[in-house]
Amino acid sequence: VLSGCLASPHCRQRYSERLPELTELFERLDLASAARAELDLIAPAGRADRRKPADDDYAEHSRRLLLEYIAERPAALRAELQP
């Protein structure tokens, strides 16, 4: 869907106009806190599950990557929006 929008000059312009607003919303939602709470909630069950498809180190690495993405994405979007 996004690639189709970006192929249209009108849609691409409207998309670009909305990104700053959505970036601010992303930050206001405090997704990092919500993600940490969810990760803390499920981590013990994940460690206890012996049938899991990945080991604990991989799961922890994935959690860190998610939190890094949440922390870094607003600045990355702002940089992309600079003329």
Side-chain angles (χ1 to χ4, degrees):
V1 173
L2 180 59
S3 62
C5 174
L6 295 178
S8 161
H10 174 72
C11 187
R12 184 175 53 247
Q13 176 65 32
R14 297 220 11 151
Y15 175 78
S16 296
E17 290 169 358
R18 294 292 310 269
L19 275 180
E21 174 188 341
L22 295 173
T23 301
E24 290 176 19
L25 174 62
F26 188 91
E27 290 176 311
R28 282 195 317 269
L29 290 174
D30 194 15
L31 296 174
S33 292
R36 274 191 219 91
E38 293 294 324
L39 294 173
D40 290 346
L41 179 67
I42 65 172
R47 285 190 292 275
D49 184 359
R50 295 298 154 218
R51 297 174 297 145
K52 61 189 167 217
D55 63 26
D56 293 338
D57 290 338
Y58 183 84
E60 182 58 33
H61 174 72
S62 296
R63 291 181 189 106
R64 280 194 307 271
L65 289 177
L66 173 63
L67 294 172
E68 287 173 14
Y69 176 84
I70 291 170
E72 296 170 359
R73 190 64 185 144
L77 280 173
R78 285 189 181 94
E80 290 177 27
L81 293 172
Q82 295 300 315

